[in-house]
Structures are given as C-alpha cells and as structure tokens.
C-alpha cells in the first residue's frame, strides 16, 4: 500500500550527468575545444559521492553505470511504482560549483539543454528545475530568461551552500527573474564547498557532512529573512529541497525568540520568522527524520501549517524502503494536500500544465 | 652515463643529474590494494578520499591539460602519465641523464586521518615495489598523515633508516599553519631519523580559499597564488620558533618557486625586529634560519624580463640552496637542458643539478 492519492506529484527526483561528453553537444565549438583540450571533467559534487549508500538505494542502483543516468530506470522506479502524475528533476552537478563564471554559465546552459532533450522531451510526466550559475547572478538571471517560455521548467535550482549566504543583495537578480516568471527558488542540499561544511571545519566523515546540511539550510533561512528578501519580493516562494523537515520547529522557536529580542537591528524584519516561513517557504518530504508516527504528528502540530510540505521521493537517494516514501503517521487528508494540492499551489507552472 | 651506475640501494650517485620532483601516478587506486586492508578498500570505493573541494573526483580548478600533464607523457601502454616505469625511464631518466630522481606521490590527503594513514603506508610500499625496485635511480618520499602527527610519527618510524627513502613529504596547504605545536612531533621524528622534510605545493589542502580575499576564478590565478602557501608556512615556522627548536632539520620546498624569497626575508626581518615583544621564540632574524635550513627546487622557475636578473636572486638566496627539478610528467615540466634562462658556470651547474641535492639527502 503506497498510500498516495491519484495525481500525486513528486517534487524531488534526480538525474545525473553521466560525464562531460554527454554535454559537449550542447556547447559552442570554442567551449568544446576549451574543455576537451584541458581534460575538464570529474565535476560530480563531493556532497554526493557516487558510491556512497545515500546516493543511490541498493535496489535502484544500476549495475554498470552511474546512478540516475537511465530514463527507463527512473520511469520504472520513480514514476510508475508510485503512480506519480508529475515529477520535478533536480540535477546536482559541479556546474554550480566551478569557480569561473563563464565556465559555470556554459555548463549550466548545457545541463539545461541536456535535461530538456534527454529527459523532458522523452517523458511528459517530467518537469525540471533550471540549473543556474549562482557564481554570477547576472548569468543566472539570463539563464532563467532563456527558459522562461518553456513551461516544463517549473523552478530555479540553487545549492544550499555557496560563496555567500543567499539573502545578500548580490543574489537578488536571481530572485527578481524568478518572481517575474512565476518560478519558486528551490534550494537543494549540497555545497559548492567555498567554505568548510561546518563552522568548526571539515568533518572526518561523509555522514557528518550530510547531517550538517540542516545547519546550512537554517543559515539560509535566517539570511533570506534577515536581509529582507521577502519584503523586497513578496511573491517569492522558496522550496527547501532534501533539507529534512523535523528540525524546523526547534529552528523557529529559536529564530522567533532571537527576532523578538534583536529585531531592532533589522527594522524591516517586521513579520515573525514563523509567519514568514509559513507564507514563503516549502519543504520536500524526503528525508523526513523521525522515529515513528507519533513524533510525525507532533512535529506537524508544532510546525502549525498543512501547506508547507511537498511530497518527494528524492529518487534515487536512499531514505526509505519499498514504496514507503510518505513519512509515517500522516492523516489521509494531509496526504492529499502534501501530494497534490500543495505542489500545485507552490508551482504555478504545474498548476497551469496539469489542471 | 646512467647505464653504468650501480643501481643497488644506497649506492653512490656517480654521474647524472638529480631531479628533485618526479610524480609517479597510479592507473587506479587498486594498485594500492596489496597493502590496504579490505575495510579501507571498501571505504575508498564508497566514499573516495573526500578532498576539501567541491568535487568528489575532479580538481578544484580545471587544469591546463588532461591529467595536468605533458601531452607526450601518456604511456603507449595505456594508463595516465607517470604510471609506467619503463616509459618514465626512457622519456625522463635516460633522455635527461638523470642519475637520481626523487619521487613525490600526489595522491591527495583524505579527510579521514585513519584512512589517510592506511593509504600513506600503502603508497610508501607501492613506491618501493613499483618504482624503486624496478628502477633504483629513483628514490622515494615517506608520505605521512600530516594532520594526525601521532600517525605521521608512526609512519616515519616505519621507514627510518630505509635507504629507499630520502625525505618525508607533506603538502604546502595544511589545516593549520605548520608552526603550530601540534605538528612538532613530525619535526622531531624527521630530525631523529635524519630525514629532510619536503613541502610540495598543493592546490587542495586545508580547505581554505586560496587568497585571503576569497577564491580566484581561474587556474592561471590559483597556479600562481599557491606560492603564497609557502610564504605563510615559512613565516609560521620561523616566528613560532620551529627552526630554533629543531636545529638539525632540513627543509626542502618543492614547486613553489623561489624568486619571492629575498623580499619575504627582508620583510620578515624588519617586522621581527620591530615586534620582538611578541616573538620570543624566534631568537634570530628569520632570514638567518631560512638561509641555514631551507632548500628550494627550481621548477617552475620565475623568469625575469632580463634573464641576468635571475643571477641576483640566486645570489641573494644562495647558490647552494637551489636544487633542480623537472616536475615530470606535468604540463609545466622543465627540461634540464633548457630550463635555465642564463648560462651557468660549470661550478654553478654542478651545485644546482647535483651536489646541493646530494648534500641535503646525505648521499655520497
């Protein structure tokens, strides 16, 4: 029993760039020469080592190829077995982590062209996030413009950890373009490693890196709220993708308390963090770190909103077994909201193309 | 010529030049498996070494050429440049009449110190089995887990007195500056084993931006800026009193250039004199320690606009402190016949291409 309603929408599935050769057809000759003559490759993000258990569930792991590089596997594992009506692709790759702004732009353009040709064109259920080079917000905004007319691109993808915190005005051209075209900003787990993954340096273990992602997300929420991004872009929606969810109540309690005590420092910060998050921020449901159904119900009560969760499998990342993608203990009416209503409300382009 | 050499370990290097920076590479890390416990083989397969960069397998910056290598250095037998001992022998040692070549494996430090220690031991075994035994003109470097000095000391003890090794090797970018006391046990072990401590440039290291103002965009910047990691390490070693504490330890600075050293020494000395209140551990002007304890390899050599100016710089540093290196098989390799933009006297040539290095390594 999957427990998903008809028309469920999966807000986070992954596809992976097999290697640089797959992208060369989507670049100019000059860039093809630059990249091949220098042997530029190996841009898989350190946040997701290909063979780490998290990166691909064992029964979803292909025998002789990189995970998430095969359409028929994605169709079988992620779409057919959950009966989802639509699924949003996030492509995590080094295009968003290389240092050169021009190389970043070229690689992001190629990734998006490749996503459209190799995935979106081949299954009408698929949607995607536009991979943009945060290394240059100007280029990122241009890339959003380039895809604005293609309604299959329903979101803008940023990594959780970049050179600077995302509330800084430096990044605002990205939000301006996103709002202009009705695209939520998806902030996905992962780091461009401009800084150590923790405030105390580099952990020894991969497990620690991954656990520490939640601190990265908390930092981004405080940055977006504290810098006034939601004041300046009242229509902006932010989706935290693969962020985990159950840290949210404790985060809000501390954030609200700090805001009460210190809001004089940022006079534009007039709405409470709880209100801002419930109005502007959404969370995908995998991973959902909880021991059992009782805790799920309590956490949902603490969060205090039935509108902020978006169903996701996070395929092929390994968070659950079988088809048990839903957190345990969700009431049926909430499942309908999480799997259908909330995604349609969050992604205007989904509503437009699925309704 | 090199073919008349006695190749047995510890034998005199009777002829040929000394190359202080040769990079042996692996076709894959499976070459280490004979010396690596199954637990670590599995760990490497699942997680890799987790370098402190954005990419799981690539480099921080796209390099100048595939494998950062000379385009003619890919062995005809397959595998990456620097992975075939026969081809390296023919293309480098025989072609350039190299009588002694010092290996500097650049396998990259793992974040997990226990893994790094296991890999270090394996790399040291691999250097002997796969390089020094088939080609005794080559000598190995003891690679160590510099971020866990206890483990590094164990590794140095394992190889102390073994004539296949001529130095201990560490990278120029570390988690903390090398003057910090936590690294001192490594220096004590090197000094006790009578092994010089070589610092090789690395672009990936402690996981800090390569400038104090942030990350550059291009390899052409990063490649230059890496030299600053040597400057900060040398300043740290001097000011924290390492040179005072370990008076018999020799230091070899590999692939960091050298033309910047005189200006650094002048600046350090000036501020040492002014700030002695905060520098009681550094008892003499830093330049004095540097002149006594440090050696520098040549490649990549700074090239003055007027070639003869190089003579001034070499004079300031000391002709007895400079050791030739090719950096084979990397793209910016120096050919010993053409590397120097000035004509060296026979005596100068003999020092830089041979006797300085033999003296540092204590070889006859």
């Amino acid at each position: 029993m999957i427990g998903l309603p008809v028309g469920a929408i999966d807000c986070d599935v992954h596809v992976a760039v097999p290697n640089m050769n797959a992208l060369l057809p989507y670049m100019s000759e000059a860039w093809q020469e630059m990249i091949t003559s220098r042997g530029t490759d190996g841009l898989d993000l350190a946040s997701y080592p290909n063979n780490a258990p998290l990166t691909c569930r064992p029964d979803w792991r292909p025998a002789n190829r990189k995970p998430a590089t095969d359409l028929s596997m994605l169709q079988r594992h992620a779409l057919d077995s959950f009966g989802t009506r639509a699924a949003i692709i996030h492509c995590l790759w080094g295009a968003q982590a290389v240092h050169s702004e021009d190389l970043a732009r070229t690689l992001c353009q190629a990734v998006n062209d490749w996503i459209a040709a190799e995935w979106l064109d081949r299954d009408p259920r698929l949607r995607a996030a536009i991979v943009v080079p945060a290394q240059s917000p100007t280029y990122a905004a241009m890339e959003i413009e380039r895809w604005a007319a293609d309604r299959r691109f329903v979101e803008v993808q940023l990594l959780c950890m970049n050179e600077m915190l995302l509330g800084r005005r430096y990044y605002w051209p990205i939000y301006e373009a996103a709002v202009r075209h009705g695209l939520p900003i998806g902030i996905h787990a992962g780091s461009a490693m401009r800084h150590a993954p923790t405030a105390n340096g580099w952990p020894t273990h991969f497990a620690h890196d991954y656990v520490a992602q939640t601190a990265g997300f908390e930092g981004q929420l405080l940055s977006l709220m504290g810098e006034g991004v939601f004041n300046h872009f009242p229509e902006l929606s932010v989706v935290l993708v693969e962020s985990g969810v159950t840290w949210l109540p404790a985060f809000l309690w501390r954030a609200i308390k700090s805001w009460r005590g210190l809001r004089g420092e940022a006079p534009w910060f007039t709405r409470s963090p709880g209100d801002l998050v419930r109005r502007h921020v959404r969370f995908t449901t995998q991973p959902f770190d909880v021991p059992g159904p009782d805790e799920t119900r309590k956490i949902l009560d603490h969060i205090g909103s039935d509108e902020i969760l978006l169903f996701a499998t996070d395929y092929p990342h390994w968070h659950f077994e079988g088809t048990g993608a839903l957190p345990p203990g969700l009431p049926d009416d909430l499942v309908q909201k999480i799997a259908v209503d909330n995604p349609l409300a969050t992604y205007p382009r989904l509503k437009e193309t699925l309704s | 010529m090199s073919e008349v050499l006695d190749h047995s370990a510890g034998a005199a290097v009777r002829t040929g030049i000394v190359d202080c920076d040769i990079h042996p590479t692996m076709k894959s890390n499976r070459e280490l498996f004979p010396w690596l416990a199954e637990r670590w083989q599995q760990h490497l397969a699942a997680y890799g070494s987790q370098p402190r960069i954005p990419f799981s397998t690539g480099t921080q910056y796209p390099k100048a050429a595939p494998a950062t290598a000379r385009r003619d250095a890919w062995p005809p037998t397959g595998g990456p440049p620097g992975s075939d001992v026969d081809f390296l022998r023919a293309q480098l040692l025989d072609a350039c009449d190299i009588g002694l070549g010092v290996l500097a494996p650049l396998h990259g430090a793992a974040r997990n110190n226990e893994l790094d220690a296991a890999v270090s031991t394996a790399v040291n075994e691999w250097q002997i089995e796969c390089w020094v035994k088939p080609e005794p003109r080559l000598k190995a470097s003891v690679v160590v887990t510099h971020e866990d000095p206890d483990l590094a000391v164990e590794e140095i003890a394992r190889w102390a007195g073994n004539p296949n090794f001529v130095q201990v090797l560490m990278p120029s970018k570390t988690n903390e500056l090398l003057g910090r006391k936590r690294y001192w046990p490594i220096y004590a072990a090197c000094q006790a084993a009578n092994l010089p401590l070589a610092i090789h440039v690395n672009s990936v290291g402690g996981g800090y931006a390569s400038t104090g103002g942030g990350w550059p965009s291009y390899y052409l910047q990063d490649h230059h800026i890496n030299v600053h990691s040597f400057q900060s390490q040398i300043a740290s070693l001097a000011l924290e009193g390492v040179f005072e504490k370990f008076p018999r330890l020799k230091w070899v600075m590999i692939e960091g250039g050298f033309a910047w050293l005189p200006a650094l020494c002048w600046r350090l000395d000036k501020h040492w004199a002014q700030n002695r209140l905060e520098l009681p551990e550094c008892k003499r002007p830093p330049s004095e320690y540097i002149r006594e304890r440090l050696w520098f390899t040549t490649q990549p050599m700074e090239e003055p606009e007027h070639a003869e100016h190089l003579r001034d710089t070499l004079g300031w540093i000391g002709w007895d402190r400079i050791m030739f290196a090719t950096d084979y098989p990397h793209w910016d390799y120096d050919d010993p016949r053409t590397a120097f933009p000035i004509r060296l006297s026979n005596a100068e040539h003999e020092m830089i291409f041979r006797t300085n290095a033999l003296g540092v390594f204590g070889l006859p």
Side-chain angles (χ1 to χ4, degrees), chain A residues 36-53 93-95 97-103 163 191-197 202-207 209, chain B residues 39 43-48 50-68 71 111-113 175 206-209 213-220:
Chain A
T36 52
S37 72
R38 299 176 68 189
T40 303
D41 206 344
L43 298 184
D44 294 332
L45 291 176
S47 299
Y48 293 89
N50 280 321
N51 295 321
W93 195 58
V98 296
H99 290 271
S100 156
E101 295 175 8
D102 292 292
L103 179 62
E163 188 131 4
S191 176
M193 299 288 192
R194 294 299 186 269
H195 312 280
W202 297 79
T204 296
H205 301 107
F206 169 77
D209 271 23
Chain B
R39 179 225 161 157
H43 185 112
L44 275 178
Y47 303 102
Q50 291 185 278
R52 294 167 172 86
I53 63 169
F55 312 112
S56 56
T57 58
T59 53
Q60 177 80 257
Y61 290 88
K63 301 287 190 178
T68 327
R71 291 179 194 276
R111 269 203 249 164
N112 183 318
N113 289 334
N175 271 16
Y208 307 109
W215 295 94
S217 294
Y218 304 109
Y219 181 52
L220 74 85

